[in-house]
PDB file of all heavy atoms in Angstrom:
ATOM      1  N   PRO A 426      14.748  20.152   9.244  1.00  0.00           N
ATOM      2  CA  PRO A 426      13.349  20.466   9.578  1.00  0.00           C
ATOM      3  C   PRO A 426      13.204  21.599  10.581  1.00  0.00           C
ATOM      4  O   PRO A 426      12.146  22.244  10.653  1.00  0.00           O
ATOM      5  CB  PRO A 426      12.809  19.146  10.146  1.00  0.00           C
ATOM      6  CG  PRO A 426      14.016  18.372  10.558  1.00  0.00           C
ATOM      7  CD  PRO A 426      15.109  18.779   9.631  1.00  0.00           C
ATOM      8  N   ASP A 427      14.246  21.852  11.392  1.00  0.00           N
ATOM      9  CA  ASP A 427      14.170  22.929  12.392  1.00  0.00           C
ATOM     10  C   ASP A 427      14.467  24.308  11.807  1.00  0.00           C
ATOM     11  O   ASP A 427      14.247  25.325  12.469  1.00  0.00           O
ATOM     12  CB  ASP A 427      15.162  22.657  13.528  1.00  0.00           C
ATOM     13  CG  ASP A 427      14.810  21.390  14.292  1.00  0.00           C
ATOM     14  OD1 ASP A 427      13.602  21.077  14.380  1.00  0.00           O
ATOM     15  OD2 ASP A 427      15.730  20.701  14.753  1.00  0.00           O
ATOM     16  N   LEU A 428      14.978  24.348  10.575  1.00  0.00           N
ATOM     17  CA  LEU A 428      15.329  25.619   9.944  1.00  0.00           C
ATOM     18  C   LEU A 428      14.104  26.198   9.239  1.00  0.00           C
ATOM     19  O   LEU A 428      13.543  25.570   8.347  1.00  0.00           O
ATOM     20  CB  LEU A 428      16.465  25.407   8.936  1.00  0.00           C
ATOM     21  CG  LEU A 428      16.989  26.645   8.205  1.00  0.00           C
ATOM     22  CD1 LEU A 428      17.615  27.630   9.186  1.00  0.00           C
ATOM     23  CD2 LEU A 428      17.992  26.248   7.129  1.00  0.00           C
ATOM     24  N   GLN A 429      13.693  27.390   9.651  1.00  0.00           N
ATOM     25  CA  GLN A 429      12.517  28.033   9.085  1.00  0.00           C
ATOM     26  C   GLN A 429      12.911  29.016   7.984  1.00  0.00           C
ATOM     27  O   GLN A 429      13.953  29.669   8.060  1.00  0.00           O
ATOM     28  CB  GLN A 429      11.741  28.786  10.175  1.00  0.00           C
ATOM     29  CG  GLN A 429      11.275  27.903  11.327  1.00  0.00           C
ATOM     30  CD  GLN A 429      10.304  26.822  10.873  1.00  0.00           C
ATOM     31  OE1 GLN A 429       9.386  27.086  10.095  1.00  0.00           O
ATOM     32  NE2 GLN A 429      10.511  25.594  11.339  1.00  0.00           N
ATOM     33  N   ILE A 430      12.036  29.121   6.971  1.00  0.00           N
ATOM     34  CA  ILE A 430      12.281  30.053   5.866  1.00  0.00           C
ATOM     35  C   ILE A 430      12.434  31.481   6.381  1.00  0.00           C
ATOM     36  O   ILE A 430      13.331  32.229   5.963  1.00  0.00           O
ATOM     37  CB  ILE A 430      11.117  29.982   4.846  1.00  0.00           C
ATOM     38  CG1 ILE A 430      11.212  28.698   4.022  1.00  0.00           C
ATOM     39  CG2 ILE A 430      11.129  31.197   3.920  1.00  0.00           C
ATOM     40  CD1 ILE A 430      12.350  28.665   3.037  1.00  0.00           C
ATOM     41  N   GLY A 431      11.565  31.868   7.324  1.00  0.00           N
ATOM     42  CA  GLY A 431      11.623  33.226   7.873  1.00  0.00           C
ATOM     43  C   GLY A 431      12.951  33.530   8.534  1.00  0.00           C
ATOM     44  O   GLY A 431      13.444  34.666   8.488  1.00  0.00           O
ATOM     45  N   GLU A 432      13.558  32.511   9.127  1.00  0.00           N
ATOM     46  CA  GLU A 432      14.852  32.684   9.791  1.00  0.00           C
ATOM     47  C   GLU A 432      15.940  33.027   8.759  1.00  0.00           C
ATOM     48  O   GLU A 432      16.798  33.890   8.999  1.00  0.00           O
ATOM     49  CB  GLU A 432      15.203  31.391  10.533  1.00  0.00           C
ATOM     50  CG  GLU A 432      16.285  31.529  11.575  1.00  0.00           C
ATOM     51  CD  GLU A 432      16.462  30.257  12.390  1.00  0.00           C
ATOM     52  OE1 GLU A 432      15.877  29.219  12.026  1.00  0.00           O
ATOM     53  OE2 GLU A 432      17.220  30.308  13.375  1.00  0.00           O
ATOM     54  N   ILE A 433      15.896  32.368   7.603  1.00  0.00           N
ATOM     55  CA  ILE A 433      16.886  32.650   6.548  1.00  0.00           C
ATOM     56  C   ILE A 433      16.666  34.054   5.987  1.00  0.00           C
ATOM     57  O   ILE A 433      17.623  34.795   5.744  1.00  0.00           O
ATOM     58  CB  ILE A 433      16.804  31.606   5.424  1.00  0.00           C
ATOM     59  CG1 ILE A 433      16.906  30.184   5.992  1.00  0.00           C
ATOM     60  CG2 ILE A 433      17.927  31.832   4.408  1.00  0.00           C
ATOM     61  CD1 ILE A 433      16.721  29.090   4.959  1.00  0.00           C
ATOM     62  N   PHE A 434      15.407  34.427   5.773  1.00  0.00           N
ATOM     63  CA  PHE A 434      15.115  35.769   5.271  1.00  0.00           C
ATOM     64  C   PHE A 434      15.627  36.844   6.237  1.00  0.00           C
ATOM     65  O   PHE A 434      16.199  37.851   5.822  1.00  0.00           O
ATOM     66  CB  PHE A 434      13.606  35.957   5.053  1.00  0.00           C
ATOM     67  CG  PHE A 434      13.111  35.447   3.729  1.00  0.00           C
ATOM     68  CD1 PHE A 434      12.118  34.479   3.665  1.00  0.00           C
ATOM     69  CD2 PHE A 434      13.638  35.935   2.540  1.00  0.00           C
ATOM     70  CE1 PHE A 434      11.652  34.015   2.447  1.00  0.00           C
ATOM     71  CE2 PHE A 434      13.174  35.470   1.315  1.00  0.00           C
ATOM     72  CZ  PHE A 434      12.187  34.506   1.264  1.00  0.00           C
ATOM     73  N   ARG A 435      15.444  36.619   7.543  1.00  0.00           N
ATOM     74  CA  ARG A 435      15.933  37.593   8.530  1.00  0.00           C
ATOM     75  C   ARG A 435      17.460  37.652   8.522  1.00  0.00           C
ATOM     76  O   ARG A 435      18.047  38.726   8.667  1.00  0.00           O
ATOM     77  CB  ARG A 435      15.410  37.242   9.932  1.00  0.00           C
ATOM     78  CG  ARG A 435      13.929  37.557  10.139  1.00  0.00           C
ATOM     79  CD  ARG A 435      13.535  37.437  11.602  1.00  0.00           C
ATOM     80  NE  ARG A 435      13.614  36.057  12.078  1.00  0.00           N
ATOM     81  CZ  ARG A 435      12.647  35.163  11.959  1.00  0.00           C
ATOM     82  NH1 ARG A 435      11.517  35.502  11.358  1.00  0.00           N
ATOM     83  NH2 ARG A 435      12.790  33.946  12.435  1.00  0.00           N
ATOM     84  N   GLY A 436      18.094  36.508   8.362  1.00  0.00           N
ATOM     85  CA  GLY A 436      19.554  36.492   8.292  1.00  0.00           C
ATOM     86  C   GLY A 436      20.088  37.195   7.058  1.00  0.00           C
ATOM     87  O   GLY A 436      21.184  37.771   7.080  1.00  0.00           O
ATOM     88  N   ALA A 437      19.314  37.162   5.961  1.00  0.00           N
ATOM     89  CA  ALA A 437      19.757  37.781   4.708  1.00  0.00           C
ATOM     90  C   ALA A 437      19.483  39.280   4.660  1.00  0.00           C
ATOM     91  O   ALA A 437      20.060  39.979   3.812  1.00  0.00           O
ATOM     92  CB  ALA A 437      19.078  37.095   3.526  1.00  0.00           C
ATOM     93  N   LEU A 438      18.614  39.794   5.553  1.00  0.00           N
ATOM     94  CA  LEU A 438      18.216  41.205   5.496  1.00  0.00           C
ATOM     95  C   LEU A 438      19.396  42.185   5.524  1.00  0.00           C
ATOM     96  O   LEU A 438      19.428  43.136   4.718  1.00  0.00           O
ATOM     97  CB  LEU A 438      17.243  41.519   6.633  1.00  0.00           C
ATOM     98  CG  LEU A 438      16.769  42.981   6.717  1.00  0.00           C
ATOM     99  CD1 LEU A 438      16.059  43.391   5.430  1.00  0.00           C
ATOM    100  CD2 LEU A 438      15.860  43.178   7.930  1.00  0.00           C
ATOM    101  N   PRO A 439      20.407  42.014   6.407  1.00  0.00           N
ATOM    102  CA  PRO A 439      21.541  42.962   6.378  1.00  0.00           C
ATOM    103  C   PRO A 439      22.255  42.995   5.034  1.00  0.00           C
ATOM    104  O   PRO A 439      22.767  44.042   4.623  1.00  0.00           O
ATOM    105  CB  PRO A 439      22.475  42.424   7.487  1.00  0.00           C
ATOM    106  CG  PRO A 439      21.587  41.632   8.390  1.00  0.00           C
ATOM    107  CD  PRO A 439      20.550  41.028   7.501  1.00  0.00           C
ATOM    108  N   PHE A 440      22.255  41.876   4.324  1.00  0.00           N
ATOM    109  CA  PHE A 440      22.934  41.827   3.027  1.00  0.00           C
ATOM    110  C   PHE A 440      22.089  42.472   1.933  1.00  0.00           C
ATOM    111  O   PHE A 440      22.630  43.011   0.966  1.00  0.00           O
ATOM    112  CB  PHE A 440      23.295  40.373   2.702  1.00  0.00           C
ATOM    113  CG  PHE A 440      24.174  39.757   3.750  1.00  0.00           C
ATOM    114  CD1 PHE A 440      23.636  38.980   4.761  1.00  0.00           C
ATOM    115  CD2 PHE A 440      25.530  40.007   3.765  1.00  0.00           C
ATOM    116  CE1 PHE A 440      24.428  38.452   5.758  1.00  0.00           C
ATOM    117  CE2 PHE A 440      26.348  39.483   4.756  1.00  0.00           C
ATOM    118  CZ  PHE A 440      25.792  38.701   5.757  1.00  0.00           C
ATOM    119  N   VAL A 441      20.779  42.440   2.103  1.00  0.00           N
ATOM    120  CA  VAL A 441      19.901  43.202   1.201  1.00  0.00           C
ATOM    121  C   VAL A 441      20.205  44.690   1.338  1.00  0.00           C
ATOM    122  O   VAL A 441      20.321  45.415   0.338  1.00  0.00           O
ATOM    123  CB  VAL A 441      18.417  42.923   1.514  1.00  0.00           C
ATOM    124  CG1 VAL A 441      17.504  43.867   0.728  1.00  0.00           C
ATOM    125  CG2 VAL A 441      18.060  41.475   1.203  1.00  0.00           C
ATOM    126  N   LEU A 442      20.362  45.156   2.580  1.00  0.00           N
ATOM    127  CA  LEU A 442      20.680  46.573   2.813  1.00  0.00           C
ATOM    128  C   LEU A 442      22.045  46.924   2.233  1.00  0.00           C
ATOM    129  O   LEU A 442      22.232  48.012   1.677  1.00  0.00           O
ATOM    130  CB  LEU A 442      20.637  46.875   4.320  1.00  0.00           C
ATOM    131  CG  LEU A 442      19.282  46.642   5.009  1.00  0.00           C
ATOM    132  CD1 LEU A 442      19.386  46.925   6.506  1.00  0.00           C
ATOM    133  CD2 LEU A 442      18.195  47.500   4.379  1.00  0.00           C
ATOM    134  N   ALA A 443      23.001  46.000   2.345  1.00  0.00           N
ATOM    135  CA  ALA A 443      24.322  46.236   1.751  1.00  0.00           C
ATOM    136  C   ALA A 443      24.224  46.338   0.236  1.00  0.00           C
ATOM    137  O   ALA A 443      24.916  47.158  -0.389  1.00  0.00           O
ATOM    138  CB  ALA A 443      25.278  45.108   2.151  1.00  0.00           C
ATOM    139  N   MET A 444      23.363  45.549  -0.380  1.00  0.00           N
ATOM    140  CA  MET A 444      23.181  45.610  -1.833  1.00  0.00           C
ATOM    141  C   MET A 444      22.517  46.914  -2.261  1.00  0.00           C
ATOM    142  O   MET A 444      22.860  47.477  -3.305  1.00  0.00           O
ATOM    143  CB  MET A 444      22.354  44.415  -2.315  1.00  0.00           C
ATOM    144  CG  MET A 444      23.064  43.090  -2.170  1.00  0.00           C
ATOM    145  SD  MET A 444      22.100  41.709  -2.822  1.00  0.00           S
ATOM    146  CE  MET A 444      22.289  41.979  -4.576  1.00  0.00           C
ATOM    147  N   VAL A 445      21.587  47.404  -1.454  1.00  0.00           N
ATOM    148  CA  VAL A 445      20.967  48.701  -1.746  1.00  0.00           C
ATOM    149  C   VAL A 445      22.024  49.807  -1.668  1.00  0.00           C
ATOM    150  O   VAL A 445      22.056  50.716  -2.508  1.00  0.00           O
ATOM    151  CB  VAL A 445      19.803  48.981  -0.766  1.00  0.00           C
ATOM    152  CG1 VAL A 445      19.287  50.410  -0.926  1.00  0.00           C
ATOM    153  CG2 VAL A 445      18.667  47.982  -0.992  1.00  0.00           C
ATOM    154  N   ALA A 446      22.915  49.704  -0.672  1.00  0.00           N
ATOM    155  CA  ALA A 446      24.010  50.681  -0.565  1.00  0.00           C
ATOM    156  C   ALA A 446      24.925  50.596  -1.785  1.00  0.00           C
ATOM    157  O   ALA A 446      25.369  51.624  -2.322  1.00  0.00           O
ATOM    158  CB  ALA A 446      24.809  50.425   0.722  1.00  0.00           C
ATOM    159  N   ALA A 447      25.207  49.378  -2.256  1.00  0.00           N
ATOM    160  CA  ALA A 447      26.039  49.206  -3.451  1.00  0.00           C
ATOM    161  C   ALA A 447      25.368  49.817  -4.671  1.00  0.00           C
ATOM    162  O   ALA A 447      26.024  50.463  -5.498  1.00  0.00           O
ATOM    163  CB  ALA A 447      26.307  47.717  -3.689  1.00  0.00           C
ATOM    164  N   LEU A 448      24.062  49.655  -4.764  1.00  0.00           N
ATOM    165  CA  LEU A 448      23.302  50.234  -5.879  1.00  0.00           C
ATOM    166  C   LEU A 448      23.433  51.751  -5.879  1.00  0.00           C
ATOM    167  O   LEU A 448      23.680  52.374  -6.921  1.00  0.00           O
ATOM    168  CB  LEU A 448      21.827  49.823  -5.730  1.00  0.00           C
ATOM    169  CG  LEU A 448      20.948  49.733  -6.966  1.00  0.00           C
ATOM    170  CD1 LEU A 448      21.545  48.817  -8.004  1.00  0.00           C
ATOM    171  CD2 LEU A 448      19.553  49.261  -6.570  1.00  0.00           C
TER     172      LEU A 448
END
Side-chain angles (χ1 to χ4, degrees):
D427 296 329
L428 182 64
Q429 301 298 316
I430 285 289
E432 197 173 10
I433 307 175
F434 276 122
R435 286 191 293 274
L438 178 60
F440 302 97
V441 171
L442 299 178
M444 292 183 74
V445 172
L448 207 55

